[in-house]
Every structure is written in C-alpha cells, then in structure tokens.
Amino acid sequence: MSSNSFAYNEQSGGGEATELGQEATSTISPSGAFGLFSSDLKKNEDLKQMLESNKDSAKLEAMKRIVGMIAKGKNASELFPAVVKNVASKNIEIKKLVYVYLVRYAEEQQDLALLSISTFQRALKDPNQLIRASALRVLSSIRVPIIVPIMMLAIKEASADLSPYVRKNAAHAIQKLYSLDPEQKEMLIEVIEKLLKDKSTLVAGSVVMAFEEVCPDRIDLIHKNYRKLCNLLVDVEEWGQVVIIHMLTRYARTQFVSPWKEDDGLQDNEKNFYESDDEQKEKTDKKKSYTMDPDHRLLIRNTKPLLQSRNAAVVMAVAQLYWHIAPKSEAGIISKSLVRLLRSNREVQYIVLQNIATMSIQRKGMFEPYLKSFYVRSTDPTMIKTLKLEILTNLANEANISTLLREFQTYVKSQDKQFAAATIQTIGRCATNISEVTDTCLNGLVCLLSNRDEIVVAESVVVIKKLLQMQPAQHGEIIKHMAKLLDSITVPVARASILWLTGENCERVPKIAPDVLRKMAKNFTSEDDLVKLQILNLGAKLYLTNSKQTKLLTQYILNLGKYDQNYDIRDRTRFIRQLIVPNEKSGALSKYAKKIFLAQKPAPLLESPYKDRDHFQLGTLSHTLNTKATGYLELSNWPEVAPDPSVRNVEVIELAKEWTPAGKAKKENPAKKFYSESEEEEDSSDSSSDSESESASESGEQDEEGDSSDESSEDSSSESESESGSESEVENRRDKNSKTKGKGDSEYGEKENENSETSDSSNEESSSIEESSSDSESESENELESRKVTKEKEKKTKQDRKPITKDVSLLDLDDFNPVSTPVALPMPAFSPSLIADLEGLNLSTSSSVISVSTPVFVPMKTHVLLHRMSGKGLAAHYFFPRQPCIFGDKMVSVQITLSNTTDRKIENIHTGEKKLPTGMQMHVFNPIESLEPEGSITVSMGIDFCDSTQTASFQLCTKDDCFNVNIQPPVGELLLPVAISEKDFKKEQGMLTGMNETSTIIIVAPQNFTSSVILQKVVNVANVGVVPSGQDNIHRFAAKTVHSGSLMLVTVELKEGSTAQLIINTEKTVIGSVLLRELKPVLSQG
C-alpha cells in the first residue's frame, strides 16, 4: 500500500514501460556506446540531451531508461531538473513516466519540485484518471509544511472524484498529510468519513488504512459502514482485506459480547458447595442465554471464504480474527489453512509457526490432527526447526508421546548442533509435562551422556540436572555416573551443573563428593568463572556436612579464590569464609549456614517461551517481537453488556424524486404495507444520503455478481430485513401510513424504463383508478386486507423461483409474481411500477419468469443402501423421485425401501448417528416399530447436499444392530427442472459466460442424431426441464440447483459430421463440470 506503487501499467502503453525501461539501460545510443565500462556521468549526459530533445520519441526512450535505472536500484536523482521540465508534456506516455520518477524523488528534491507545483495543480483537473492520481501522489510526496493547504484542498477534491482509482489515492494521501501536519486531523476525519461511505471495493482497503493511521479510536465512523465492509470484503484487493480484517477484529471486540462464555459454561458444570438448587438453575439459565449478534455472525461468515486466499497475509488475518472473536468451537477451521501456509517460503513459515506456537499452548486440539505437518525436514533452517520443536512439545500428550520421542531420537543425531541441543531441551520439557514418560526420558538422556558430541552431552547434563531437581531422592546412581564425566566434559555450563548436583546431593553420595572437590581443586585456576563459583559452593556444602574429610581442601580453595582475578569470585570467597568458618568476628548468620546452603531449592519450571505472547494480537509485529511495537493497537476486553446494535442499522431512504417519470407522482401503491417504513421518511427524500445508496448497493452488487456467493446474498438480504424493521412493526404503522398513501410509487419509478413493454394506456388507467380509490381511506384499507388474503392463497398454489433468503418476510418474491390472479376488485392486481420494482429485486437482475416445473422423466433406477447380507436380513434400497422435498426447500427428496428378508420380525428400525460434512443437513424418517418377515416399507428422507456430490453417511439401526450406510447423489439429482422461455434462456446464458461456462465437442452416434433420443438421454442423467427451441439443431435444457437456486443451463448444438457441442452455463462451476463429464459419454455412445 506504499505510495510508490504506481499503477501506470493499467494502460497498454504504460504496461511496457517498466520492461522496456529495464532493458533500455543496456541499449545505449551510438553517441555513448563505448562499452560496458562507460561512466555513469556520460550515460546521464546522454539522457539529459535526449530529455531536452524536441522529439517525443527520444524523450520517451530516455524516460523508459531512467525508470529502468530506478527499477534496478540505481540513483537517478541528478536527472531531476531535466525530468521535471517534461512534467507539462502533451504526450500521455511521457507524462506518466515523469510522474513515476517524481513520486520517487520529490521528497529528496523538494525545492525543485515546488517550482512545478502549479503544473501538478493543473494536472489534478486532467481528463485522464491516471494523471490526476499521479499528480496527487507527487503533491503528497513533497514533504514541505508550506503546501499543506494546497494538499488539503487537493485531497478534498480527489475524494469526490468520479474515478475510484483517484479516490483510492486520496485515501493514501490522507496518511501522508497527517504525518506532515497532525493538526489537520479533524478535517482529514471528515474526508475519511466521506470515503468510508464509498461503495467501491478499490477504495475500501485504502480508506480503512487511513482510518487506522489517523483516528483508530473513532469507532463511531465504522458503525454505519460495518455491514457494507463485511459484504465487500471478499471483493477488496488482498492488502486491503488484511487491513479491514484487523480493523474489524478490534471493532468486534468493542461491540459484541464474548462468544466464549458459551464454551466456558459447558466446562464449568461444578456446583458450588453452598449454592442452592435455585441459584444453580438461575446461573445455568444465565449461561445458556447467550445468542450471537447477527452482525457478529456476519463478520465470521463473510471472512471464512478468505481462508482459501492465495495471499498468506490474508489467511493469517482471518486466522487471528477467528482466534480472537469466534466461538472456540468454530475456531478449529483455521488450523487446516494455517498448515497449508507451511508450504510457502521460509519467511512465511516463520511467522505462521510463531502464531501456531502461541495457539497450540491454549488449544492443543486444534492442531493435533496435523501433528505430522510439524515434523522437521532436513532442509528446514534452524529457526524453523526450533519453532516446529516448540509446537511438537506443546502438542505432546500421553497418546502421541511415544511417536514423538522416536522422532526426537532422530533429531538428536542432527548435524545442526544448535537444533540437537534444542531437541534435548524439548525432551526435558516433555518429561516434565507428562509424568508417565519422565523415567524413559531420563534414561534416554543418560544414554546421551556417552555421545561423542560435546554439545549434546553438555545439554543433556543441564536438562538432567533440572529433572533430578524435581525428584532428587531417587537417582543417586545417575549423579555418580555424571560425576565420572567431569574428566571428559569441557563445556562450562555442563561442568557447573554436575558440581551443583553433587553439592545438593552430597549427603547421598558421601564417597564421591569429596573426591570431586579434590579433582576440582587441582584445576581451580584454569576453570571458567561459572565453574569456579560452583566449586566454591561445593566446598562450602561439604565443609558443613563432611568437615572431617574436606576442611583443609575447602580452606585451600577459599585461599585460591581470595586472590582470583574476577571480583565476583573474590566476593563470593569472602562471603563463604565469614559464613562457614567460625571466628570471633562471625555474625549471627553463622549458626544458620547449613540451612542457608542446603535449603530445599524450588524445582525449575520448564515453560514455553511463547506462553506470555498471547496478550499481543496474533499476526502483528508486536507478537513476533514479543514487545510492543510503535503503532500497535491493543485489543480491548469483551464488554460485559453489548452496546446498542441499532447504531449499525442503515436508514432505508426512498429513491430521489427527480428520477420519477412525469405523471407518476401521486400514484397509490396497492402493496403499500410492504414499504410503510420508507414511506414515513418520504418527506426527507430530497436529501438522499449516502447511507441509503450503501444499503441499495449492498444488495445490488450481490445481484450484479450473479449471486456468486450464497452466503453474501443471504447477508445482504438479512441486513435489509433488519434495516426495514419487522413485519409486525409495519402492520402497526399501517393506519398512520394510509393517510399519506396518495404519494404513490414515486420512489419506485427508477426501473420503469427497463420495462417498456408495459403499455401507456394501462399506466394511465391504473393511475386514474388509484387516484379515485385514494378518496376513501376505509375502502383502501379493505382492499389491502382482501389483497393480502388473496396473495396468501396464491402463495400456497405456486412453485416459483426461490426468494433471496428463506427468512425474509417483507420482500418475499413468491408473493409478487407479475401474472395476476382474477380478484373481485375494481383495480388491476398490480401497478406497473410495482411490477417493475419487484422484478428488479430478482436474484439474476432480470425480469424473466423462471418457475420450477414438473420433472420430464423420473428414472426408476435404485441404489443399494444396505445389502441383506451386511444388514443381517435387513435390505435397503434408495432412489430419487425428483419431487420437491416436503421437509425443506433446500433438501433433495430420497425414498428408501426397507425389506425384511428373514423369517422373523425386525423391530425398531431407525436412523442412528449421522456423520455429515460441514453444512450438510438431513431430515430422517420416523422410526418403524416393526417389519414383518418378507415385508417391505417405503419411507422418505430429505438431505441438503449443499450442491455437492459429497456422501451423506449415517447409521441405519434396528433393535439389536447398527449398520453404517452412505447415500451419494448423482449430480443430476441435485437439480430441479425450471420452465423458461427461449428468450430468457439466452438472456441468462449471456450473463453466465467466461468462467461460468464449460463446453466440449462430442462425437454423436448417428442413431442419436434425433431430438427425441437426445431429450431422453439428457433427462435420464439430469433432472432438467426442456426449453422450447426455434432451431432444430439446438436443444436447450434448464434447471436450478436445489440448495442455492443457481441456474444450470444445458445446450446441445448438433453440427455437421456427427459432431455436437455440449455447453453448460452455471455459477456452480464444479457441478457444471461434473455434469459435463456425465453427459459426454451418454450422448457419445450408440
């Protein structure tokens, strides 16, 4: 997001500039061609001459070479005066490259840049958006306080620019101006507030970055834009996604209550001793009352698809969001995505592993299934190996410790000594954490003491010392073994550890300890300072416990220490002598010398170095460095009570009146109750604010994308539902609203132009009837009531296109089929403007009528669910009846025939445990009490396959047994046939091109070259409806997916020479390609 990243390659000419510029440095003109070793001075003189030339081609070539120099990291600052002269060039390509240069060097050459400031100001009005944006970037790169007012004015103008690219650069300039002059904060906040309302995905990331830089504490600016940002998130560029996700994480922690209370409640089931049953019940009711805020759920749901992003930073941002704000039960999905990132380069691995190390301390279960992903590879650098060891240690438990210890044994033999030492420390931590393997680990470490490698032996000694400190009484033999190693070990830390252990356990090894002291006294002067201190300590302890043998030896060591070069050792010697050797000057402490030296020492706590990092937000620089970095914004604690959620509601203000065609201003809307809330605000419709256009865009943009994401369309519709208020509120306000009904459909006139087929005469007729009917309030009330009843009946008899979401009651599209039903009323069923408006709400932004039709053909092919041999006499077969499911409109209907092939009655046949993939749902059949011998029964089930051919696994149980069974749907059964005209088919097909289109050429057998055979073969494979075709050689079929209602358009076009082209158009590209694979062999075979 750096200001130096210039998008001049967006146009064809600029795209070649960098490449040509990089190559051009080697293409020296003949005048300066004296080899590779020609001086830079000569080269630059050559470039200056070219820049002062009258020919644009020479100037362009020079600029390409200069930009090439910059790209290679060479200094081109001395060319600034020559380049800046060309800022006013008429040639657009030269101008773009000059701006690239100026953005790079304007900060260094401020005085010269200031001379051209009037040119930059003129360029802000240039018709080319790239020039306007570049001028703003250069202007904001001149870091001189005197031009702050000019920059402020330029930013304000650019923030209202028609080009989203210019507005994006305005957001970048805000940060630069703020760092130059923080006093401009209030004015900049106004610009940020304006840009936050921007509907362009190009601007969203940049303005949130500016918000984070200038006013991160102004959460109130985000309220109205929260839902819009959530819904736009998927389409924002990658680095913008990272910034928005981090900001929304902080926002969620201030606006929603903790979702972890639910999880804590499940664990905290213990009843307090003095707590009455009533208090306990009250407490559990309180815990169970948690329900997630819909806006909280919106954020979690809309970020989930980004876990599949190709950008590691986006995946990491979503992972930290789930970690910090999602319920603990849902956070597990991030583990797979994070493990996927471990295939990236080592820098990404390092950051990801650091975050996993922090996570794995608190929630081991998340990463246990991926244990093998953290095994160390020989090619890993040491930093990665150490982090993987850390994670393996965190994940170690009784179940997997034996596998891990075998893995660690291999690591100890590594040539990387630092890694081998870290592995030994890891073994020590595992021994501490898992008591069952403490002895095994200790024995293994003792074996390592005979290793040839000194570093391995030294590290083993240090770790054994820590382990023995935890259970000292049991291991006298190990201490003896280690004391013998003093002759061979030279590493100071290891020698000091052995001496400390010997001193602490001198009473358990009374024969060994004095001998160790004797050996150490010989080499005292040549030992390391750390070892000398431990020799002094050992002498003091032996003097106190075994004075008879060691008195003279200790005095000898104290005399050596008294004259040592190191003052620490001299101080320690004096202190010990006064404490243990009694004389007339000795203080009161001498009596307690034994207690001081031989006191019980607390065992060391072997903890993860990542234990204290969890107070930093994951994925931040502060977390990586384990210290608070400049600009770090802390996550706040969850509020006890959630702030008012209504602050995020965006007012739905009706469309501006100036868009209304003449003659429609006073129409009455027959279905006015559906829009009563917006009618109340009609008086303020002149000030059609940005918040209104945002809410419109949220649903509109989803429509334009052809509902590429079911989730996002649900989000936008649920949002509009919450904004519009509940149906009951609308009903309560109806009496109040009926007084202003004469204002009619003025706000809905916008889309009438799209529906030109509506005749003018019918418009005039309906408007006159409506004007006359508005005279009587009671009459219009009765008409509304009767209309409502009629529409409810109409809804029950229709099978229309699926509405936007299942829950929306206010805008239920099934109620608004433009085909009017005969009603005993004096006015038409719908005004044309209402029809036009409601057609505009369709998912596909088309006015076509698409309804579910009856299946053309139902194949009776059955599939074996349970074989009689496997089911101990109970056999089960299933088939797909191709009927809308009675259990839910997103479910596929499945009929199961159960047969008893035994000679005894089978009792209590029912479904048991279900093992369904995420999102899949199943409505099971009612239990069957008994099935007579040789009897059979057919039952119905509904399964929501989520538009995928994944297997639904469950158990079919009887009174005595349970059998695992699977239902896998053929792709053709995930569809419902739809009735659609040829014109609408072509229109929809035109909107589903590019990536949404799959096609193949097939060789058709001659006998299959007839319409009836093709029809029979296609409908046998897939549950599709036949579309009437005006051409004999083109056969069209249409269906929609059961779960999401996405259109599936199939075209078979017969060509010459027994070939045919099979084309499938659908948003569900995976299902489309699977269906293509199934249809191809069927149509090819004879």
Side-chain angles (χ1 to χ4, degrees), residues 318-352:
V318 178
Q320 65 82 28
L321 178 134
Y322 266 77
W323 178 259
H324 290 300
I325 73 163
K328 290 179 181 175
S329 56
E330 295 179 29
I333 63 166
I334 66 175
S335 50
K336 189 173 183 181
S337 301
L338 289 176
V339 169
R340 173 173 66 84
L341 294 184
L342 298 181
R343 299 179 191 140
S344 308
N345 55 52
R346 58 178 62 180
E347 292 80 11
V348 172
Q349 283 185 54
Y350 180 71
I351 298 296
V352 172

Side-chain angles (χ1 to χ4, degrees), residues 937-986:
I937 187 169
T938 301
V939 292
S940 289
M941 289 176 67
I943 305 175
D944 181 358
F945 288 104
C946 296
D947 289 349
S948 74
T949 53
Q950 293 183 81
T951 304
S953 304
F954 60 98
Q955 288 187 331
L956 191 60
C957 301
T958 62
K959 184 181 178 183
D960 307 313
D961 300 291
C962 282
F963 311 103
N964 290 321
V965 294
N966 304 307
I967 293 180
Q968 184 169 20
V971 68
E973 304 303 335
L974 300 174
L975 308 173
L976 286 174
V978 295
I980 183 172
S981 68
E982 185 177 10
K983 179 184 172 185
D984 290 336
F985 182 97
K986 288 177 180 176

Side-chain angles (χ1 to χ4, degrees), residues 280-460:
Q280 177 71 10
K281 188 178 177 187
E282 205 172 287
K283 196 171 167 186
T284 52
D285 288 348
K286 217 173 197 179
K287 280 175 186 168
K288 285 178 186 174
S289 65
Y290 172 77
T291 50
M292 186 178 280
D293 189 298
D295 287 327
H296 192 171
R297 171 59 63 197
L298 175 73
L299 175 58
I300 292 171
R301 189 169 59 223
N302 279 19
T303 49
K304 185 178 176 182
L306 297 180
L307 285 170
Q308 294 166 12
S309 172
R310 64 183 178 179
N311 188 312
V314 175
V315 177
M316 193 63 247
V318 178
Q320 65 82 28
L321 178 134
Y322 266 77
W323 178 259
H324 290 300
I325 73 163
K328 290 179 181 175
S329 56
E330 295 179 29
I333 63 166
I334 66 175
S335 50
K336 189 173 183 181
S337 301
L338 289 176
V339 169
R340 173 173 66 84
L341 294 184
L342 298 181
R343 299 179 191 140
S344 308
N345 55 52
R346 58 178 62 180
E347 292 80 11
V348 172
Q349 283 185 54
Y350 180 71
I351 298 296
V352 172
L353 286 168
Q354 273 199 328
N355 287 281
I356 292 176
T358 303
M359 293 180 193
S360 59
I361 294 169
Q362 291 185 24
R363 305 182 199 168
K364 290 186 180 184
M366 275 175 63
F367 294 98
E368 276 177 7
Y370 307 100
L371 189 71
K372 289 186 179 177
S373 300
F374 302 111
Y375 283 177
V376 173
R377 294 189 175 91
S378 58
T379 53
D380 288 337
T382 306
M383 59 179 184
I384 302 292
K385 290 177 180 174
T386 315
L387 277 168
K388 285 186 173 179
L389 270 180
E390 176 63 38
I391 293 165
L392 289 173
T393 313
N394 293 340
L395 298 181
N397 56 32
E398 293 84 350
N400 59 29
I401 188 63
S402 56
T403 315
L404 288 179
L405 286 177
R406 281 199 299 276
E407 189 76 11
F408 293 158
Q409 279 176 355
T410 315
Y411 298 166
V412 170
K413 298 169 189 170
S414 169
Q415 295 301 310
D416 184 345
K417 299 309 167 196
Q418 189 184 342
F419 170 54
T423 304
I424 293 166
Q425 290 177 7
T426 298
I427 294 170
R429 270 180 60 196
C430 290
T432 312
N433 298 339
I434 304 165
S435 54
E436 288 86 349
V437 295
T438 306
D439 292 338
T440 313
C441 291
L442 204 50
N443 293 337
L445 291 170
V446 170
C447 293
L448 289 176
L449 294 176
S450 57
N451 196 295
R452 291 179 186 174
D453 195 325
E454 202 173 74
I455 295 173
V456 172
V457 175
E459 200 64 48
S460 302

Side-chain angles (χ1 to χ4, degrees), residues 1 168 171-172 174-175 192-193 195-198 200-216 221-222 225 228-230 232-233 236-237 239-250 633:
M1 217 169 283
K168 178 189 179 78
H172 290 169
I174 288 171
Q175 300 163 62
I192 289 172
E193 187 173 7
L195 286 171
L196 277 170
K197 295 173 183 175
D198 201 301
S200 170
T201 53
L202 198 63
V203 181
S206 302
V207 69
V208 171
M209 187 73 208
F211 169 83
E212 292 281 79
E213 192 76 29
V214 178
C215 53
L221 299 180
I222 304 297
N225 303 295
K228 181 193 72 177
L229 286 171
C230 288
L232 289 183
L233 197 54
V236 175
E237 43 89 24
W239 297 110
Q241 288 173 345
V242 175
V243 177
I244 294 171
I245 291 169
H246 277 282
M247 185 274 291
L248 291 178
T249 305
R250 285 195 309 107
L633 300 167

